[in-house]
Amino acid sequence: MDSRKAVRTYRRNLAIVLGIILLVFLLIPVTVKSPYVLNIFVLVFYMSTLSMAWNLLGGMTGQNSLGHAAYMGLGAYACCLMVVKTGANPWLSAIFGMLVVGLVAGIIFYPCFILRGPYFTLVSIAFGESIRQVIINSEFFGRASGVGLPFGADSWGQFRFGSKVPYYYVGLVMMIGVYLIMKRIDRSKMGFALKTIREDEDAAAAIGINPTKYKITAVVLSAMVAGLVGFFYASYIRYIDPELMIQAKSTESVLPAVVGGAAFVEGPIVGGLIMIPLSEILRANFSAILPGINMLMYAVVLIVVIRFRPTGILGWYMSSKLKVFIDTKILRKPPVEVFEEVEMMDRVKEA
C-alpha cells in the first residue's frame, strides 16, 4: 500500500504542476494585451507543432527530412483554394488539406524509402523545391502572387478574427492535441518500432518489423500534421504565397526539435519556447542594424548545440541536478523499483 500511495502522490504532484503550467498559458491573453506578444506566442504554437511533425519523422524514425515547409505550404494551398474556389467551410477544408498532403507525401516518398541517410534528406529537399516551382508556374495556384482568404466579420464558423486571442487559444489547443498524439505514438508499439528502425533498420527487419510500413506511416502522419499547421497559418495570416515553402522555412521547423531534444516528444515545444521568442526579439530590435540576424542566430545556436549538447536541452536536463531536485523535492518521485512493484501488483490483480 505504501508503494501505491507513493505512486499516487507522485502522479498527483505531477498533475498539479502541469495544471499550473496550463493555467499560466490560459491566462496569458487575459493579462497580456500587447498584440506583438500574443503574436509571438501564436508563432511558438504553430512552429512547435510543425517541429513535432518533423520530430516524428526525423527524431523518432531517423529519417531526416528537410521538406516540411512544402507539406505545410501544400496544406495551406489546399485549404485556401478549397475555401476560395468552392466556398467550403474552413474547418472542412482543414480535413481536406490534411488528406491531400498525406496522400501526396505517401505516394511521393513510398519508393524513396530504399534511400537512407543523406540521400533521403536530399530527396526531401528536391520534393519541397519541386512543389514550390509547380505552384509558382501554375495559374491555378495563383503563381507567385499567392492566394488570399476573404476578410470579414469575426466568425468561429469561418475561423476569421480581427483579434489574436482566438488564434492564441486555437493554436494552444492544436499544439497540446498534437503533443498528446505524439506522446501516445511514442509509447505505443508503433513508437517502439520506429525507434528500433532509427537505431538499426536491418536489425529491426530481422526481428519482424516491417521498416517500409512503419516509415510510410510516419511520413504520412507527419505530413498530415504539417498540413494542419498550414491550415492554421493560412487562416491566421489570411494570405499565402510560394515563399512559405522556401528551404529556410523547413530549417526553421527542425531547429526547435534539435535545440529542445529530438529524442524527446517534448523537445520541439521546449525548443520552440526558447528559439521563436528569441528570433522575433532579435528581428524586431536589430534587423535594421543587421538584416537576417535571426537566421544568423539560428545557425550559431545550431552549431553550439550540436557541438556541446547534441542531445538538446532535455538531454542535458535528464542527467542534471535540477531534475534530481524537481523529482525528489517537488514531485516526490519514487524509485523505479516502486513503479515496477505497483505495475506487477496491478497485473496480478487483473489476472
Side-chain angles (χ1 to χ4, degrees), residues 9-22 331:
T9 300
Y10 163 71
R11 290 174 176 169
R12 181 199 65 200
N13 293 340
L14 180 61
I16 291 172
V17 171
L18 293 177
I20 292 172
I21 294 173
L22 178 59
L331 300 179

Side-chain angles (χ1 to χ4, degrees), residues 70 124-134 136 245-247:
S124 70
I125 295 173
F127 165 75
E129 185 59 25
S130 298
I131 294 292
R132 193 171 77 89
Q133 291 301 320
V134 167
I136 289 176
M245 307 170 76
I246 62 175
Q247 188 55 47

Side-chain angles (χ1 to χ4, degrees), residues 100-315:
V100 167
V101 176
L103 181 63
V104 171
I107 293 173
I108 294 296
F109 280 94
Y110 180 78
C112 296
F113 281 122
I114 60 173
L115 303 172
R116 300 186 189 181
Y119 302 104
F120 179 85
T121 305
L122 291 174
V123 169
S124 70
I125 295 173
F127 165 75
E129 185 59 25
S130 298
I131 294 292
R132 193 171 77 89
Q133 291 301 320
V134 167
I135 290 175
I136 289 176
N137 294 284
S138 172
E139 189 66 38
F140 179 77
F141 289 100
R143 296 186 181 273
S145 299
V147 178
L149 286 174
F151 288 87
D154 290 0
S155 170
W156 276 102
Q158 295 298 316
F159 194 32
R160 180 176 60 210
F161 304 97
S163 168
K164 298 185 183 299
V165 174
Y167 293 110
Y168 175 98
Y169 284 118
V170 173
L172 178 61
V173 170
M174 177 178 69
M175 184 183 73
I176 294 174
V178 170
Y179 166 75
L180 293 175
I181 292 172
M182 294 301 174
K183 195 70 175 178
R184 187 172 183 85
I185 291 174
D186 182 63
R187 295 176 174 176
S188 68
K189 176 184 175 182
M190 177 181 172
F192 287 111
L194 294 177
K195 285 178 277 190
T196 303
I197 292 169
R198 178 190 66 195
E199 298 302 324
D200 192 328
E201 187 171 328
D202 295 326
I207 61 175
I209 295 173
N210 185 337
T212 302
K213 169 189 170 184
Y214 282 105
K215 286 195 291 186
I216 198 66
T217 302
V219 77
V220 169
L221 290 175
S222 180
M224 290 178 72
V225 172
L228 174 65
V229 176
F231 154 74
F232 179 85
Y233 176 89
S235 300
Y236 180 57
I237 303 297
R238 311 303 297 174
Y239 169 78
I240 54 170
D241 63 15
E243 288 300 300
L244 176 63
M245 307 170 76
I246 62 175
Q247 188 55 47
K249 297 295 184 181
S250 289
T251 306
E252 287 182 32
S253 71
V254 175
L255 284 171
V258 173
V259 172
F264 305 91
V265 178
E266 298 82 2
I269 298 177
V270 173
L273 286 169
I274 295 171
M275 296 296 293
I276 304 303
L278 181 59
S279 171
E280 291 302 309
I281 291 171
L282 288 174
R283 192 205 309 267
N285 293 285
F286 299 102
S287 59
I289 303 173
L290 183 61
I293 189 172
N294 58 311
M295 295 308 299
L296 176 62
M297 180 274 296
Y298 274 150
V300 171
V301 170
L302 184 59
I303 292 171
V304 170
V305 168
I306 292 175
R307 174 62 181 85
F308 297 102
R309 295 292 179 187
T311 56
I313 293 172
L314 288 180

Side-chain angles (χ1 to χ4, degrees), residues 60-72:
M60 197 179 300
T61 314
Q63 302 295 309
N64 294 313
S65 167
L66 286 177
H68 272 67
Y71 300 148
M72 176 181 170

Side-chain angles (χ1 to χ4, degrees), residues 42-84:
V42 173
L43 291 176
V44 168
F45 296 153
Y46 77 71
M47 285 304 298
S48 296
T49 306
L50 183 62
S51 191
M52 281 191 280
W54 176 87
N55 201 43
L56 174 64
L57 194 59
M60 197 179 300
T61 314
Q63 302 295 309
N64 294 313
S65 167
L66 286 177
H68 272 67
Y71 300 148
M72 176 181 170
L74 189 59
Y77 267 96
C79 295
C80 284
L81 290 172
M82 188 174 180
V83 171
V84 171

